[in-house]
Amino acid sequence: MTQSRMCSLYTIGCSLFRSANESERRQALLDDLITTEKRLEQAFAAKTTASHNRSNLLGTTSSGYGSQSANPWLMGEETDETRAVSTYDIRAQHQHVLKEQDRGLDALSKAVGRQREIAVDIAAEVDIHNDILGEISEEMERADGRLARETRNMKVILKKSKTHWCMWLLIVLLLIAIVTVAAVPAK
C-alpha cells in the first residue's frame, strides 16, 4: 500500500468520524504504520555483510567489545580465546568449576558443622561450670554464716574471760574447725 493511498483513506476516515480524539488516534496509528513500512522497506533493500546480519539477528546495536544489545545475555563479540573452544569443552570447564565450588561448599559445610559441635560442647561445659559455681557460692554463704556466728561467740567468751591464753586457744580451735569445715564438703 503506498503512502498516497493511505493518506486518501485517512481523509475519507476523518470525514466519517467527527471526533477530534478519534482523528488524532487514527493519525497516530497511521504515522506508526508509515514508520514501520519504511523500516521494513529499508531492511529488505539493504545489502549487508554476514557479520552485520548476525548482529542484527542477535539484536546488537553496534559491533565490537562493549556493544549494547537488546539481548541482555550477549556480552559483545566472541573473543579469539573462546572462538577456538568447542561447546563440549566449555561445558566441561563449567562442570569442573561447579565441582570445585561443590567441594568448597562441602568443606565449608563440614567446618560449620564442626563449629556447631564445638559450640554445643562449650555450652554444655558452661552449664556444668555454672552449676559448680552455684554450689561453691552456697557453700561460701554457709561458711560465712558459721564464721560470723563463731566470731560472735568469741566476743562473748572474751568478755567473760579476761585471760589471753583462752582466747588464743579458741582462735586456734576455731581455725582448725574452719579448715575442717572447708575441706570436708557438707552433703
Side-chain angles (χ1 to χ4, degrees):
M1 188 180 292
T2 65
Q3 188 174 1
S4 62
R5 182 163 167 86
M6 286 183 163
C7 286
S8 64
L9 285 175
Y10 174 72
T11 307
I12 294 170
C14 283
S15 64
L16 293 175
F17 296 99
R18 296 193 176 170
S19 168
N21 289 337
E22 181 66 22
S23 297
E24 288 175 9
R25 185 184 71 82
R26 287 181 180 218
Q27 180 62 43
L29 288 173
L30 185 61
D31 290 342
D32 289 343
L33 191 59
I34 290 170
T35 305
T36 304
E37 180 184 21
K38 286 180 182 177
R39 278 195 220 143
L40 287 172
E41 287 174 358
Q42 289 173 353
F44 286 125
K47 293 181 181 178
T48 59
T49 63
S51 66
H52 185 67
N53 284 339
R54 180 175 183 260
S55 65
N56 284 341
L57 178 65
L58 294 176
T60 58
T61 57
S62 63
S63 60
Y65 179 77
S67 63
Q68 300 295 322
S69 70
N71 187 347
W73 297 102
L74 296 177
M75 299 303 288
E77 293 295 319
E78 186 174 19
T79 63
D80 291 335
E81 296 170 353
T82 58
R83 195 172 287 134
V85 179
S86 70
T87 306
Y88 177 77
D89 292 337
I90 292 172
R91 186 177 298 235
Q93 288 174 354
H94 184 257
Q95 292 298 324
H96 177 70
V97 168
L98 288 177
K99 286 180 184 177
E100 287 295 320
Q101 288 176 347
D102 285 344
R103 277 190 231 125
L105 288 174
D106 289 342
L108 181 62
S109 174
K110 288 177 184 176
V112 169
R114 284 192 305 269
Q115 287 180 348
R116 182 187 178 280
E117 291 172 4
I118 290 170
V120 168
D121 291 343
I122 289 172
E125 194 72 25
V126 166
D127 288 342
I128 291 170
H129 284 271
N130 281 339
D131 292 342
I132 291 171
L133 288 173
E135 291 173 6
I136 289 173
S137 176
E138 291 171 4
E139 288 294 322
M140 290 297 292
E141 287 175 8
R142 280 195 291 264
D144 186 44
R146 282 183 262 173
L147 182 62
R149 186 177 67 239
E150 293 301 321
T151 303
R152 281 193 309 269
N153 290 340
M154 281 299 291
K155 287 181 182 178
V156 170
I157 291 173
L158 283 176
K159 284 183 183 178
K160 289 183 180 179
S161 136
K162 296 283 180 180
T163 59
H164 295 289
W165 67 270
C166 232
M167 180 178 72
W168 286 109
L169 179 66
L170 285 174
I171 290 173
V172 170
L173 288 174
L174 182 61
L175 282 174
I176 292 172
I178 290 172
V179 169
T180 305
V181 168
V184 178
K187 291 185 182 181

